[in-house]
Amino acid sequence: MVQKKGKKKVVGKKVAAPPALAVKKTEQKKKQNPLFEKRTRNFGIGQDIQPTRDLSRFVKWPRYIRVQRQKRVLQERLKVPPPINQFNHTVDRPTAKQLFRLLDKYRPETRAAKKARLRSKADSKVKGKDEAPTPSKRLLALKQGTNTVTRAIEQKKAQLVIIAHDVEPLELVLFMPTLCRKMGIPYCIIKGKARLGRLVNRKTCTSVALTSVESGDRNQFSKLLEAIKTNFNDRHDELRRHWGGGILGAKSAARIAKIERAKVKEAAQKVGA
């Protein structure tokens, strides 16, 4: 007779007994206020309102914003020649603060102020108070605009020239730093044509020039001129050789770094062989 083989008993894994010290901590349940029921939200179609998300990446920005962003990236990637790159070197913040505080005293007369002055002068003339008019002292004011400032530089009347860095097109003021250096007139480049525009009661302004200052401001003006000459006029040779741009993006830099690592590894393997 053939003996039947007995079934093998399946022996399970023995679980080690927990140590005596390891005692499970009983978590205390938070007491919930019965007045407030927990309501889970359903974000399906037609259900609860979706939470606010940052969708700025998916916004179709206006054309002028896209253009200025693309222009900024291009200026970082491409090599920028020195005459254009010099407009990226602007006056530092403390000097700019002192400069605008001084220039604010020499703002030109607004249309409303001029109208009121002429009206009062005409009224006094009609009443006969100003029969023998005395020559009034001419008010000191900023020269504004590319043509006016260029004329003041060529005639050597300008004592300080301030140029905006974001003029569009840049060719309007591209020659001005070279002309100032040739004529020996201090110049500086500041951020924002709108800041210059506010000085002369306009939206924007490419450049302004200061022809003279009052006797009380001469000490402060001379200190400003020294700082500006050191940073711009005296650095002509350095700025003339300094190119800009050529900055790679994150992806391109990572790809080049990967190729360089592969070359180093390959050279090490050849030396080892």
Side-chain angles (χ1 to χ4, degrees):
M1 293 177 68
V2 180
Q3 292 182 354
K4 292 182 180 178
K5 292 182 180 180
K7 292 182 179 179
K8 292 182 180 180
K9 293 181 179 180
V10 180
V11 181
K13 292 182 180 179
K14 291 183 179 179
V15 181
L21 296 174
V23 181
K24 289 184 178 180
K25 292 181 180 179
T26 55
E27 295 181 357
Q28 293 180 354
K29 292 184 178 180
K30 293 181 181 179
K31 292 182 179 179
Q32 293 182 347
N33 193 335
L35 297 176
F36 300 100
E37 296 180 4
K38 187 178 179 181
R39 297 176 183 174
T40 56
R41 291 185 179 181
N42 180 14
F43 294 118
I45 296 171
Q47 303 300 322
D48 292 322
I49 297 170
Q50 296 282 340
T52 55
R53 297 185 180 90
D54 183 15
L55 301 176
S56 58
R57 186 178 175 84
F58 307 101
V59 173
K60 186 173 182 181
W61 295 97
R63 184 180 175 79
Y64 78 96
I65 291 179
R66 294 201 303 271
V67 167
Q68 67 188 13
R69 288 180 179 177
Q70 289 165 1
K71 182 183 175 183
R72 184 180 176 184
V73 172
L74 272 177
Q75 285 178 342
E76 288 179 358
R77 302 290 181 266
L78 301 176
K79 286 188 176 180
V80 182
I84 297 174
N85 187 53
Q86 68 179 336
F87 285 89
N88 293 327
H89 302 285
T90 54
V91 176
D92 58 325
R93 195 172 180 179
T95 311
K97 198 173 181 181
Q98 294 176 13
L99 179 63
F100 276 97
R101 197 176 297 159
L102 176 67
L103 295 178
D104 198 47
K105 298 177 182 178
Y106 301 96
R107 299 178 74 161
E109 197 175 27
T110 60
R111 287 183 180 179
K114 185 179 180 181
K115 188 177 179 181
R117 178 174 58 83
L118 293 174
R119 187 180 291 277
S120 63
K121 188 177 179 181
D123 291 343
S124 61
K125 192 174 182 180
V126 168
K127 291 175 183 177
K129 294 180 180 178
D130 197 9
E131 291 178 357
T134 56
S136 60
K137 188 180 178 182
R138 191 174 182 183
L139 294 172
L140 297 174
L142 292 168
K143 301 285 185 184
Q144 54 178 304
T146 307
N147 292 338
T148 310
V149 171
T150 305
R151 198 179 303 114
I153 295 169
E154 288 172 345
Q155 295 172 358
K156 291 192 175 181
K157 290 183 179 179
Q159 293 186 12
L160 176 63
V161 176
I162 303 100
I163 309 165
H165 88 296
D166 56 347
V167 179
E168 185 65 34
L170 194 60
E171 287 81 2
L172 292 174
V173 292
L174 193 60
F175 66 93
M176 214 171 274
T178 309
L179 183 62
C180 288
R181 281 194 294 264
K182 185 180 178 183
M183 305 303 286
I185 294 171
Y187 76 96
C188 64
I189 298 168
I190 63 119
K191 283 188 176 180
K193 56 187 177 183
R195 294 169 77 188
L196 288 184
R198 281 195 293 271
L199 284 174
V200 294
N201 308 313
R202 298 166 110 188
K203 286 185 179 179
T204 58
C205 186
T206 57
S207 56
V208 297
L210 197 58
T211 52
S212 58
V213 294
E214 294 176 355
S215 57
D217 297 327
R218 280 175 189 167
N219 188 22
Q220 183 187 358
F221 185 60
S222 61
K223 289 179 181 178
L224 270 174
L225 284 183
E226 287 178 12
I228 287 168
K229 278 183 181 178
T230 306
N231 290 329
F232 289 92
N233 291 66
D234 298 342
R235 291 179 61 201
H236 168 58
D237 292 332
E238 180 189 344
L239 295 172
R240 191 166 53 87
R241 292 191 293 268
H242 189 70
W243 283 65
I247 302 168
L248 296 175
K251 291 180 181 178
S252 300
R255 185 173 66 250
I256 291 170
K258 186 179 179 181
I259 292 168
E260 292 296 326
R261 286 196 300 269
K263 286 180 180 178
V264 171
K265 189 176 180 181
E266 187 179 349
Q269 287 176 354
K270 286 180 180 178
V271 171

